[in-house]
Amino acid sequence: TADKFEVSFSGGTGAPSYKWFSNNANSNTGGTLITGATNKTYTPEAFNTVGNFYFYAEISLNGNGCSSAFSDVFEINVIADPVIDVQPVPAQELCQSSTPTALSVTVSGGTSSAKTYQWYKSNTNSIADGSPIPGETLDTFSPSTDTVGTFYYYVIVSQAESGCSVTSIISELKVNEAPEFTKQPTSSEICLDGTATLLEVAYKNGTGTPTYQWFTNNTNLNSGGTAITGETSSTYNPPTNNVGEIFYYAVISFSSGGCSEIVSNTASVNVKPQITVAPIAALQTICIGGTADKFEVSFSGGTGAPSYQWYSNNSNNNTGGTAIAGA
């Protein structure tokens, strides 16, 4: 909107009357009368077209013999608004507390005066309820990802001249909760060549497609381990063909959204040697009606709580006997 035009005069006599004219040329004759513009001041309506526009006033006095006088020409030069050549990224989806892509604009056109920037935040996909973000007055802005939710940002670029401003597109930022494990791998203790508990992990939240990698370690740490070739799914069946304790853990990485990788707890797979029974006492010789010495067995190896069952046999063999009830 142009500043208000105003004319004043001297000389003549009688009451003045005013007419305002618009013109296509820089001349105070031959213009087009503006209906209703009959005061000594006139403010044109907002300009929606680029170009040069000209206005002038005619002042008449009703005194006897007073001629009319025409003002100098008021010239308005209307130029195009500034243009945003590079808009902020339209949308991004990130994990909480990750680093966002900075929102940035590149602007050209407008007047020669300095451009000022003000970034706004809105809770809806609209500029209608946007609020200015204090201190964010540069052409680049990095939104916070501390809070989970969906947020909308835009910038208004302005210049000192009236009407010289442009608003960017709205940039949507969706912040998801950071990923976390909902299932951790489970330790197991088994005998040599037994079947260990299947190692399995699961997670929630995060964004993007996850990738899995299982690691083995000689110590109870979920760092510094060795990646297990080919073990890139959410489950892993560890080997049990060697005696000893090995630790395993999984790392889940995400393909997008700035989600940091998450590392599971360790799970121990402790492989014990197979059970070995200590030698039994030597042959006993007793008479009819006599009582044999107590039999006793001990063992080594294996894992878990032991159970025992005694057998009798008609031959010198530790198979094919008859279970002794209650023994």
Side-chain angles (χ1 to χ4, degrees), residues 179 181 201-203 205-215 227-228 230-235 249-257 259-264:
F181 283 97
V201 291
Y203 76 96
N205 304 327
T207 184
T209 303
T211 58
Y212 300 84
Q213 180 62 61
W214 287 92
F215 290 80
I228 306 171
E231 295 303 332
T232 55
S233 68
S234 60
T235 60
Y249 62 92
V251 174
I252 305 178
S253 302
F254 298 86
S255 61
S256 64
C259 298
S260 59
E261 63 184 22
I262 55 175
V263 183
S264 75

PDB file of all heavy atoms in Angstrom, residues 179 181 201-203 205-215 227-228 230-235 249-257 259-264:
ATOM      1  N   PRO A 179      14.053 -45.432  19.624  1.00  0.00           N
ATOM      2  CA  PRO A 179      13.838 -46.879  19.727  1.00  0.00           C
ATOM      3  C   PRO A 179      14.352 -47.431  21.043  1.00  0.00           C
ATOM      4  O   PRO A 179      15.318 -46.910  21.613  1.00  0.00           O
ATOM      5  CB  PRO A 179      14.630 -47.425  18.533  1.00  0.00           C
ATOM      6  CG  PRO A 179      15.675 -46.399  18.279  1.00  0.00           C
ATOM      7  CD  PRO A 179      15.049 -45.078  18.605  1.00  0.00           C
ATOM      8  N   PHE A 181      14.534 -51.461  23.324  1.00  0.00           N
ATOM      9  CA  PHE A 181      14.291 -52.900  23.276  1.00  0.00           C
ATOM     10  C   PHE A 181      13.049 -53.265  24.078  1.00  0.00           C
ATOM     11  O   PHE A 181      12.815 -52.752  25.172  1.00  0.00           O
ATOM     12  CB  PHE A 181      15.492 -53.665  23.835  1.00  0.00           C
ATOM     13  CG  PHE A 181      16.653 -53.752  22.889  1.00  0.00           C
ATOM     14  CD1 PHE A 181      17.710 -52.868  22.993  1.00  0.00           C
ATOM     15  CD2 PHE A 181      16.685 -54.716  21.902  1.00  0.00           C
ATOM     16  CE1 PHE A 181      18.783 -52.928  22.121  1.00  0.00           C
ATOM     17  CE2 PHE A 181      17.750 -54.792  21.018  1.00  0.00           C
ATOM     18  CZ  PHE A 181      18.799 -53.898  21.130  1.00  0.00           C
ATOM     19  N   VAL A 201      15.844 -60.682  19.858  1.00  0.00           N
ATOM     20  CA  VAL A 201      15.624 -59.297  20.286  1.00  0.00           C
ATOM     21  C   VAL A 201      14.407 -58.740  19.564  1.00  0.00           C
ATOM     22  O   VAL A 201      14.051 -59.180  18.467  1.00  0.00           O
ATOM     23  CB  VAL A 201      16.847 -58.402  20.002  1.00  0.00           C
ATOM     24  CG1 VAL A 201      18.014 -58.769  20.893  1.00  0.00           C
ATOM     25  CG2 VAL A 201      17.245 -58.448  18.533  1.00  0.00           C
ATOM     26  N   ALA A 202      13.766 -57.761  20.186  1.00  0.00           N
ATOM     27  CA  ALA A 202      12.658 -57.024  19.573  1.00  0.00           C
ATOM     28  C   ALA A 202      12.714 -55.604  20.109  1.00  0.00           C
ATOM     29  O   ALA A 202      13.284 -55.347  21.173  1.00  0.00           O
ATOM     30  CB  ALA A 202      11.319 -57.677  19.896  1.00  0.00           C
ATOM     31  N   TYR A 203      12.122 -54.665  19.359  1.00  0.00           N
ATOM     32  CA  TYR A 203      12.184 -53.259  19.750  1.00  0.00           C
ATOM     33  C   TYR A 203      10.867 -52.574  19.417  1.00  0.00           C
ATOM     34  O   TYR A 203      10.012 -53.116  18.712  1.00  0.00           O
ATOM     35  CB  TYR A 203      13.334 -52.543  19.027  1.00  0.00           C
ATOM     36  CG  TYR A 203      13.038 -52.239  17.577  1.00  0.00           C
ATOM     37  CD1 TYR A 203      12.557 -50.998  17.189  1.00  0.00           C
ATOM     38  CD2 TYR A 203      13.185 -53.212  16.594  1.00  0.00           C
ATOM     39  CE1 TYR A 203      12.256 -50.723  15.866  1.00  0.00           C
ATOM     40  CE2 TYR A 203      12.886 -52.942  15.273  1.00  0.00           C
ATOM     41  CZ  TYR A 203      12.426 -51.707  14.917  1.00  0.00           C
ATOM     42  OH  TYR A 203      12.117 -51.440  13.604  1.00  0.00           O
ATOM     43  N   ASN A 205       9.259 -48.307  18.604  1.00  0.00           N
ATOM     44  CA  ASN A 205       9.571 -46.922  18.218  1.00  0.00           C
ATOM     45  C   ASN A 205      10.637 -46.908  17.130  1.00  0.00           C
ATOM     46  O   ASN A 205      10.886 -47.910  16.472  1.00  0.00           O
ATOM     47  CB  ASN A 205       9.992 -46.092  19.428  1.00  0.00           C
ATOM     48  CG  ASN A 205       8.955 -46.107  20.530  1.00  0.00           C
ATOM     49  OD1 ASN A 205       7.773 -46.169  20.255  1.00  0.00           O
ATOM     50  ND2 ASN A 205       9.406 -46.058  21.761  1.00  0.00           N
ATOM     51  N   GLY A 206      11.276 -45.761  16.955  1.00  0.00           N
ATOM     52  CA  GLY A 206      12.258 -45.640  15.875  1.00  0.00           C
ATOM     53  C   GLY A 206      11.577 -45.407  14.545  1.00  0.00           C
ATOM     54  O   GLY A 206      10.351 -45.435  14.422  1.00  0.00           O
ATOM     55  N   THR A 207      12.377 -45.174  13.523  1.00  0.00           N
ATOM     56  CA  THR A 207      11.865 -44.942  12.183  1.00  0.00           C
ATOM     57  C   THR A 207      12.836 -45.510  11.171  1.00  0.00           C
ATOM     58  O   THR A 207      14.030 -45.638  11.435  1.00  0.00           O
ATOM     59  CB  THR A 207      11.656 -43.438  11.931  1.00  0.00           C
ATOM     60  OG1 THR A 207      11.077 -43.240  10.642  1.00  0.00           O
ATOM     61  CG2 THR A 207      12.957 -42.679  12.002  1.00  0.00           C
ATOM     62  N   GLY A 208      12.324 -45.874  10.010  1.00  0.00           N
ATOM     63  CA  GLY A 208      13.173 -46.488   8.994  1.00  0.00           C
ATOM     64  C   GLY A 208      13.220 -48.000   9.155  1.00  0.00           C
ATOM     65  O   GLY A 208      12.702 -48.577  10.111  1.00  0.00           O
ATOM     66  N   THR A 209      13.855 -48.664   8.201  1.00  0.00           N
ATOM     67  CA  THR A 209      13.981 -50.122   8.209  1.00  0.00           C
ATOM     68  C   THR A 209      15.172 -50.537   9.059  1.00  0.00           C
ATOM     69  O   THR A 209      16.286 -50.064   8.829  1.00  0.00           O
ATOM     70  CB  THR A 209      14.160 -50.648   6.776  1.00  0.00           C
ATOM     71  OG1 THR A 209      13.055 -50.220   5.979  1.00  0.00           O
ATOM     72  CG2 THR A 209      14.246 -52.161   6.765  1.00  0.00           C
ATOM     73  N   PRO A 210      14.961 -51.419  10.062  1.00  0.00           N
ATOM     74  CA  PRO A 210      16.074 -51.795  10.926  1.00  0.00           C
ATOM     75  C   PRO A 210      16.976 -52.851  10.278  1.00  0.00           C
ATOM     76  O   PRO A 210      16.531 -53.646   9.451  1.00  0.00           O
ATOM     77  CB  PRO A 210      15.373 -52.376  12.156  1.00  0.00           C
ATOM     78  CG  PRO A 210      14.112 -52.968  11.595  1.00  0.00           C
ATOM     79  CD  PRO A 210      13.700 -52.066  10.459  1.00  0.00           C
ATOM     80  N   THR A 211      18.233 -52.832  10.657  1.00  0.00           N
ATOM     81  CA  THR A 211      19.160 -53.908  10.311  1.00  0.00           C
ATOM     82  C   THR A 211      19.740 -54.448  11.604  1.00  0.00           C
ATOM     83  O   THR A 211      19.930 -53.701  12.577  1.00  0.00           O
ATOM     84  CB  THR A 211      20.289 -53.424   9.388  1.00  0.00           C
ATOM     85  OG1 THR A 211      21.008 -52.363  10.034  1.00  0.00           O
ATOM     86  CG2 THR A 211      19.738 -52.917   8.070  1.00  0.00           C
ATOM     87  N   TYR A 212      20.012 -55.756  11.607  1.00  0.00           N
ATOM     88  CA  TYR A 212      20.484 -56.441  12.811  1.00  0.00           C
ATOM     89  C   TYR A 212      21.888 -56.988  12.578  1.00  0.00           C
ATOM     90  O   TYR A 212      22.228 -57.396  11.460  1.00  0.00           O
ATOM     91  CB  TYR A 212      19.558 -57.611  13.166  1.00  0.00           C
ATOM     92  CG  TYR A 212      18.118 -57.211  13.434  1.00  0.00           C
ATOM     93  CD1 TYR A 212      17.215 -57.046  12.388  1.00  0.00           C
ATOM     94  CD2 TYR A 212      17.663 -57.010  14.728  1.00  0.00           C
ATOM     95  CE1 TYR A 212      15.895 -56.690  12.618  1.00  0.00           C
ATOM     96  CE2 TYR A 212      16.335 -56.650  14.978  1.00  0.00           C
ATOM     97  CZ  TYR A 212      15.470 -56.493  13.919  1.00  0.00           C
ATOM     98  OH  TYR A 212      14.157 -56.153  14.154  1.00  0.00           O
ATOM     99  N   GLN A 213      22.684 -57.000  13.634  1.00  0.00           N
ATOM    100  CA  GLN A 213      23.992 -57.650  13.594  1.00  0.00           C
ATOM    101  C   GLN A 213      24.286 -58.235  14.971  1.00  0.00           C
ATOM    102  O   GLN A 213      24.253 -57.533  15.972  1.00  0.00           O
ATOM    103  CB  GLN A 213      25.105 -56.673  13.204  1.00  0.00           C
ATOM    104  CG  GLN A 213      26.485 -57.299  13.160  1.00  0.00           C
ATOM    105  CD  GLN A 213      26.592 -58.402  12.125  1.00  0.00           C
ATOM    106  OE1 GLN A 213      26.412 -58.166  10.939  1.00  0.00           O
ATOM    107  NE2 GLN A 213      26.857 -59.631  12.573  1.00  0.00           N
ATOM    108  N   TRP A 214      24.559 -59.560  14.970  1.00  0.00           N
ATOM    109  CA  TRP A 214      24.913 -60.235  16.213  1.00  0.00           C
ATOM    110  C   TRP A 214      26.431 -60.252  16.383  1.00  0.00           C
ATOM    111  O   TRP A 214      27.174 -60.367  15.409  1.00  0.00           O
ATOM    112  CB  TRP A 214      24.369 -61.657  16.230  1.00  0.00           C
ATOM    113  CG  TRP A 214      22.879 -61.698  16.434  1.00  0.00           C
ATOM    114  CD1 TRP A 214      21.916 -61.708  15.478  1.00  0.00           C
ATOM    115  CD2 TRP A 214      22.201 -61.708  17.693  1.00  0.00           C
ATOM    116  NE1 TRP A 214      20.668 -61.732  16.044  1.00  0.00           N
ATOM    117  CE2 TRP A 214      20.807 -61.736  17.411  1.00  0.00           C
ATOM    118  CE3 TRP A 214      22.611 -61.718  19.030  1.00  0.00           C
ATOM    119  CZ2 TRP A 214      19.845 -61.764  18.413  1.00  0.00           C
ATOM    120  CZ3 TRP A 214      21.649 -61.743  20.037  1.00  0.00           C
ATOM    121  CH2 TRP A 214      20.277 -61.760  19.720  1.00  0.00           C
ATOM    122  N   PHE A 215      26.844 -60.134  17.648  1.00  0.00           N
ATOM    123  CA  PHE A 215      28.259 -60.102  17.988  1.00  0.00           C
ATOM    124  C   PHE A 215      28.553 -61.165  19.044  1.00  0.00           C
ATOM    125  O   PHE A 215      27.689 -61.523  19.848  1.00  0.00           O
ATOM    126  CB  PHE A 215      28.663 -58.728  18.549  1.00  0.00           C
ATOM    127  CG  PHE A 215      28.657 -57.634  17.527  1.00  0.00           C
ATOM    128  CD1 PHE A 215      27.476 -57.018  17.133  1.00  0.00           C
ATOM    129  CD2 PHE A 215      29.845 -57.203  16.951  1.00  0.00           C
ATOM    130  CE1 PHE A 215      27.472 -56.002  16.194  1.00  0.00           C
ATOM    131  CE2 PHE A 215      29.850 -56.183  16.010  1.00  0.00           C
ATOM    132  CZ  PHE A 215      28.668 -55.589  15.632  1.00  0.00           C
ATOM    133  N   ALA A 227      31.749 -59.203  15.062  1.00  0.00           N
ATOM    134  CA  ALA A 227      30.521 -59.440  14.304  1.00  0.00           C
ATOM    135  C   ALA A 227      30.505 -60.868  13.779  1.00  0.00           C
ATOM    136  O   ALA A 227      31.505 -61.372  13.271  1.00  0.00           O
ATOM    137  CB  ALA A 227      30.419 -58.444  13.156  1.00  0.00           C
ATOM    138  N   ILE A 228      29.356 -61.517  13.906  1.00  0.00           N
ATOM    139  CA  ILE A 228      29.192 -62.891  13.429  1.00  0.00           C
ATOM    140  C   ILE A 228      28.707 -62.838  11.988  1.00  0.00           C
ATOM    141  O   ILE A 228      27.617 -62.324  11.707  1.00  0.00           O
ATOM    142  CB  ILE A 228      28.198 -63.668  14.314  1.00  0.00           C
ATOM    143  CG1 ILE A 228      28.627 -63.599  15.774  1.00  0.00           C
ATOM    144  CG2 ILE A 228      28.087 -65.112  13.850  1.00  0.00           C
ATOM    145  CD1 ILE A 228      27.592 -64.149  16.737  1.00  0.00           C
ATOM    146  N   GLY A 230      27.022 -63.132   8.638  1.00  0.00           N
ATOM    147  CA  GLY A 230      25.739 -63.652   8.177  1.00  0.00           C
ATOM    148  C   GLY A 230      24.623 -63.615   9.188  1.00  0.00           C
ATOM    149  O   GLY A 230      23.476 -63.916   8.840  1.00  0.00           O
ATOM    150  N   GLU A 231      24.914 -63.242  10.427  1.00  0.00           N
ATOM    151  CA  GLU A 231      23.858 -63.248  11.452  1.00  0.00           C
ATOM    152  C   GLU A 231      23.258 -61.850  11.549  1.00  0.00           C
ATOM    153  O   GLU A 231      23.657 -61.028  12.363  1.00  0.00           O
ATOM    154  CB  GLU A 231      24.423 -63.725  12.788  1.00  0.00           C
ATOM    155  CG  GLU A 231      24.897 -65.167  12.762  1.00  0.00           C
ATOM    156  CD  GLU A 231      23.807 -66.142  12.350  1.00  0.00           C
ATOM    157  OE1 GLU A 231      22.604 -65.850  12.577  1.00  0.00           O
ATOM    158  OE2 GLU A 231      24.144 -67.199  11.795  1.00  0.00           O
ATOM    159  N   THR A 232      22.291 -61.606  10.665  1.00  0.00           N
ATOM    160  CA  THR A 232      21.724 -60.267  10.506  1.00  0.00           C
ATOM    161  C   THR A 232      20.196 -60.274  10.600  1.00  0.00           C
ATOM    162  O   THR A 232      19.510 -59.504   9.928  1.00  0.00           O
ATOM    163  CB  THR A 232      22.147 -59.678   9.152  1.00  0.00           C
ATOM    164  OG1 THR A 232      21.768 -60.583   8.106  1.00  0.00           O
ATOM    165  CG2 THR A 232      23.644 -59.448   9.093  1.00  0.00           C
ATOM    166  N   SER A 233      19.664 -61.153  11.424  1.00  0.00           N
ATOM    167  CA  SER A 233      18.225 -61.159  11.670  1.00  0.00           C
ATOM    168  C   SER A 233      17.981 -60.924  13.154  1.00  0.00           C
ATOM    169  O   SER A 233      18.921 -60.782  13.940  1.00  0.00           O
ATOM    170  CB  SER A 233      17.596 -62.486  11.224  1.00  0.00           C
ATOM    171  OG  SER A 233      18.028 -63.543  12.053  1.00  0.00           O
ATOM    172  N   SER A 234      16.729 -60.903  13.533  1.00  0.00           N
ATOM    173  CA  SER A 234      16.398 -60.598  14.930  1.00  0.00           C
ATOM    174  C   SER A 234      16.644 -61.780  15.864  1.00  0.00           C
ATOM    175  O   SER A 234      16.544 -61.632  17.084  1.00  0.00           O
ATOM    176  CB  SER A 234      14.942 -60.159  15.039  1.00  0.00           C
ATOM    177  OG  SER A 234      14.075 -61.187  14.593  1.00  0.00           O
ATOM    178  N   THR A 235      16.952 -62.949  15.303  1.00  0.00           N
ATOM    179  CA  THR A 235      17.227 -64.125  16.126  1.00  0.00           C
ATOM    180  C   THR A 235      18.563 -64.731  15.734  1.00  0.00           C
ATOM    181  O   THR A 235      19.055 -64.543  14.615  1.00  0.00           O
ATOM    182  CB  THR A 235      16.129 -65.185  15.968  1.00  0.00           C
ATOM    183  OG1 THR A 235      16.055 -65.594  14.587  1.00  0.00           O
ATOM    184  CG2 THR A 235      14.767 -64.641  16.397  1.00  0.00           C
ATOM    185  N   TYR A 249      25.598 -60.453  21.897  1.00  0.00           N
ATOM    186  CA  TYR A 249      24.705 -59.292  21.937  1.00  0.00           C
ATOM    187  C   TYR A 249      24.369 -58.886  20.503  1.00  0.00           C
ATOM    188  O   TYR A 249      25.054 -59.281  19.547  1.00  0.00           O
ATOM    189  CB  TYR A 249      25.314 -58.118  22.711  1.00  0.00           C
ATOM    190  CG  TYR A 249      26.587 -57.542  22.140  1.00  0.00           C
ATOM    191  CD1 TYR A 249      26.570 -56.472  21.247  1.00  0.00           C
ATOM    192  CD2 TYR A 249      27.827 -58.065  22.516  1.00  0.00           C
ATOM    193  CE1 TYR A 249      27.747 -55.928  20.741  1.00  0.00           C
ATOM    194  CE2 TYR A 249      29.017 -57.534  22.016  1.00  0.00           C
ATOM    195  CZ  TYR A 249      28.963 -56.477  21.128  1.00  0.00           C
ATOM    196  OH  TYR A 249      30.124 -55.960  20.623  1.00  0.00           O
ATOM    197  N   ALA A 250      23.298 -58.090  20.374  1.00  0.00           N
ATOM    198  CA  ALA A 250      22.835 -57.651  19.056  1.00  0.00           C
ATOM    199  C   ALA A 250      22.847 -56.127  18.991  1.00  0.00           C
ATOM    200  O   ALA A 250      22.604 -55.435  19.983  1.00  0.00           O
ATOM    201  CB  ALA A 250      21.426 -58.156  18.780  1.00  0.00           C
ATOM    202  N   VAL A 251      23.127 -55.610  17.795  1.00  0.00           N
ATOM    203  CA  VAL A 251      23.061 -54.182  17.514  1.00  0.00           C
ATOM    204  C   VAL A 251      22.000 -53.970  16.434  1.00  0.00           C
ATOM    205  O   VAL A 251      22.035 -54.625  15.387  1.00  0.00           O
ATOM    206  CB  VAL A 251      24.418 -53.618  17.048  1.00  0.00           C
ATOM    207  CG1 VAL A 251      24.273 -52.155  16.630  1.00  0.00           C
ATOM    208  CG2 VAL A 251      25.462 -53.759  18.143  1.00  0.00           C
ATOM    209  N   ILE A 252      21.045 -53.072  16.707  1.00  0.00           N
ATOM    210  CA  ILE A 252      20.008 -52.726  15.725  1.00  0.00           C
ATOM    211  C   ILE A 252      20.283 -51.313  15.227  1.00  0.00           C
ATOM    212  O   ILE A 252      20.398 -50.370  16.018  1.00  0.00           O
ATOM    213  CB  ILE A 252      18.592 -52.812  16.325  1.00  0.00           C
ATOM    214  CG1 ILE A 252      18.342 -54.186  16.944  1.00  0.00           C
ATOM    215  CG2 ILE A 252      17.546 -52.523  15.247  1.00  0.00           C
ATOM    216  CD1 ILE A 252      16.974 -54.312  17.596  1.00  0.00           C
ATOM    217  N   SER A 253      20.407 -51.181  13.911  1.00  0.00           N
ATOM    218  CA  SER A 253      20.632 -49.876  13.291  1.00  0.00           C
ATOM    219  C   SER A 253      19.425 -49.523  12.432  1.00  0.00           C
ATOM    220  O   SER A 253      18.701 -50.409  11.965  1.00  0.00           O
ATOM    221  CB  SER A 253      21.898 -49.901  12.428  1.00  0.00           C
ATOM    222  OG  SER A 253      23.025 -50.273  13.205  1.00  0.00           O
ATOM    223  N   PHE A 254      19.228 -48.207  12.210  1.00  0.00           N
ATOM    224  CA  PHE A 254      18.056 -47.743  11.481  1.00  0.00           C
ATOM    225  C   PHE A 254      18.488 -46.965  10.247  1.00  0.00           C
ATOM    226  O   PHE A 254      19.460 -46.208  10.282  1.00  0.00           O
ATOM    227  CB  PHE A 254      17.171 -46.893  12.388  1.00  0.00           C
ATOM    228  CG  PHE A 254      16.639 -47.664  13.560  1.00  0.00           C
ATOM    229  CD1 PHE A 254      17.381 -47.784  14.724  1.00  0.00           C
ATOM    230  CD2 PHE A 254      15.425 -48.309  13.486  1.00  0.00           C
ATOM    231  CE1 PHE A 254      16.912 -48.503  15.805  1.00  0.00           C
ATOM    232  CE2 PHE A 254      14.938 -49.042  14.552  1.00  0.00           C
ATOM    233  CZ  PHE A 254      15.686 -49.143  15.717  1.00  0.00           C
ATOM    234  N   SER A 255      17.745 -47.150   9.158  1.00  0.00           N
ATOM    235  CA  SER A 255      18.159 -46.630   7.854  1.00  0.00           C
ATOM    236  C   SER A 255      17.877 -45.153   7.678  1.00  0.00           C
ATOM    237  O   SER A 255      18.412 -44.523   6.770  1.00  0.00           O
ATOM    238  CB  SER A 255      17.460 -47.424   6.742  1.00  0.00           C
ATOM    239  OG  SER A 255      16.046 -47.285   6.841  1.00  0.00           O
ATOM    240  N   SER A 256      17.028 -44.578   8.498  1.00  0.00           N
ATOM    241  CA  SER A 256      16.668 -43.170   8.301  1.00  0.00           C
ATOM    242  C   SER A 256      16.216 -42.580   9.609  1.00  0.00           C
ATOM    243  O   SER A 256      16.051 -43.278  10.612  1.00  0.00           O
ATOM    244  CB  SER A 256      15.557 -43.048   7.251  1.00  0.00           C
ATOM    245  OG  SER A 256      14.377 -43.691   7.713  1.00  0.00           O
ATOM    246  N   GLY A 257      16.018 -41.255   9.570  1.00  0.00           N
ATOM    247  CA  GLY A 257      15.432 -40.580  10.710  1.00  0.00           C
ATOM    248  C   GLY A 257      16.383 -40.221  11.822  1.00  0.00           C
ATOM    249  O   GLY A 257      15.964 -39.758  12.875  1.00  0.00           O
ATOM    250  N   CYS A 259      17.936 -42.009  13.861  1.00  0.00           N
ATOM    251  CA  CYS A 259      17.868 -42.846  15.062  1.00  0.00           C
ATOM    252  C   CYS A 259      19.227 -43.476  15.320  1.00  0.00           C
ATOM    253  O   CYS A 259      19.779 -44.144  14.441  1.00  0.00           O
ATOM    254  CB  CYS A 259      16.822 -43.948  14.896  1.00  0.00           C
ATOM    255  SG  CYS A 259      15.141 -43.347  14.657  1.00  0.00           S
ATOM    256  N   SER A 260      19.747 -43.273  16.501  1.00  0.00           N
ATOM    257  CA  SER A 260      21.016 -43.905  16.822  1.00  0.00           C
ATOM    258  C   SER A 260      20.805 -45.409  16.957  1.00  0.00           C
ATOM    259  O   SER A 260      19.716 -45.872  17.252  1.00  0.00           O
ATOM    260  CB  SER A 260      21.572 -43.321  18.116  1.00  0.00           C
ATOM    261  OG  SER A 260      20.651 -43.513  19.178  1.00  0.00           O
ATOM    262  N   GLU A 261      21.853 -46.173  16.714  1.00  0.00           N
ATOM    263  CA  GLU A 261      21.738 -47.613  16.872  1.00  0.00           C
ATOM    264  C   GLU A 261      21.545 -47.946  18.346  1.00  0.00           C
ATOM    265  O   GLU A 261      21.967 -47.190  19.227  1.00  0.00           O
ATOM    266  CB  GLU A 261      22.982 -48.302  16.317  1.00  0.00           C
ATOM    267  CG  GLU A 261      24.264 -47.946  17.037  1.00  0.00           C
ATOM    268  CD  GLU A 261      25.485 -48.580  16.390  1.00  0.00           C
ATOM    269  OE1 GLU A 261      25.396 -48.931  15.201  1.00  0.00           O
ATOM    270  OE2 GLU A 261      26.521 -48.720  17.075  1.00  0.00           O
ATOM    271  N   ILE A 262      20.878 -49.055  18.600  1.00  0.00           N
ATOM    272  CA  ILE A 262      20.674 -49.508  19.970  1.00  0.00           C
ATOM    273  C   ILE A 262      21.347 -50.860  20.135  1.00  0.00           C
ATOM    274  O   ILE A 262      21.389 -51.671  19.209  1.00  0.00           O
ATOM    275  CB  ILE A 262      19.184 -49.560  20.343  1.00  0.00           C
ATOM    276  CG1 ILE A 262      18.387 -50.425  19.355  1.00  0.00           C
ATOM    277  CG2 ILE A 262      18.597 -48.162  20.417  1.00  0.00           C
ATOM    278  CD1 ILE A 262      16.918 -50.601  19.746  1.00  0.00           C
ATOM    279  N   VAL A 263      21.890 -51.081  21.323  1.00  0.00           N
ATOM    280  CA  VAL A 263      22.692 -52.272  21.609  1.00  0.00           C
ATOM    281  C   VAL A 263      22.016 -53.051  22.730  1.00  0.00           C
ATOM    282  O   VAL A 263      21.678 -52.485  23.779  1.00  0.00           O
ATOM    283  CB  VAL A 263      24.131 -51.899  22.008  1.00  0.00           C
ATOM    284  CG1 VAL A 263      24.969 -53.161  22.221  1.00  0.00           C
ATOM    285  CG2 VAL A 263      24.770 -51.005  20.948  1.00  0.00           C
ATOM    286  N   SER A 264      21.820 -54.341  22.520  1.00  0.00           N
ATOM    287  CA  SER A 264      21.143 -55.171  23.506  1.00  0.00           C
ATOM    288  C   SER A 264      22.048 -55.479  24.689  1.00  0.00           C
ATOM    289  O   SER A 264      23.261 -55.215  24.668  1.00  0.00           O
ATOM    290  CB  SER A 264      20.690 -56.484  22.866  1.00  0.00           C
ATOM    291  OG  SER A 264      21.798 -57.348  22.679  1.00  0.00           O
TER     292      SER A 264
END
